[in-house]
Amino acid sequence: GLSQAMIAWCDGCEFEELSQYANLAEGDFVREFRSAIDLLRQIKRAAKGHKDLRRKLDGCIDKIHRDVVDAEQQLRLSV
């Protein structure tokens, strides 16, 4: 279920729509998506010298790191 939610999220679905893909609390979606971003960043650091792979990882991170998953943006909006 979570993989379907991640695919939908990366395809641009709204956060409120995620519950139709997996039975998780809102905070769990955010935590899991942030964990995925962390893992992708670790892989990117390990992939020094692999420009194409690093570019693809950046694209994946960009697709996940938006809206409520982007903690920095949320902090800026709440100020």
Side-chain angles (χ1 to χ4, degrees):
L2 186 57
S3 59
Q4 290 299 317
M6 178 66 83
I7 291 168
W9 181 249
C10 290
D11 284 342
C13 87
E14 296 295 322
F15 188 75
E16 295 77 23
E17 298 172 25
L18 291 175
S19 62
Q20 68 185 350
Y21 298 100
N23 187 20
L24 291 175
E26 291 178 353
D28 291 337
F29 281 114
V30 172
R31 184 180 63 247
E32 295 298 332
F33 290 176
R34 287 180 182 165
S35 292
I37 291 168
D38 181 55
L39 179 60
L40 292 167
R41 286 179 176 157
Q42 290 178 43
I43 295 168
K44 183 181 169 189
R45 281 192 297 272
K48 293 178 182 172
H50 299 277
K51 285 183 183 180
D52 290 337
L53 176 57
R54 291 173 60 92
R55 192 174 323 114
K56 287 179 183 183
L57 291 166
D58 281 335
C60 293
I61 291 167
D62 289 344
K63 287 181 177 231
I64 302 168
H65 199 236
R66 64 179 181 88
D67 199 22
V68 298
V69 176
D70 184 351
E72 262 184 54
Q73 178 188 25
Q74 295 305 305
L75 288 173
R76 285 191 305 269
L77 292 174
S78 66
V79 174

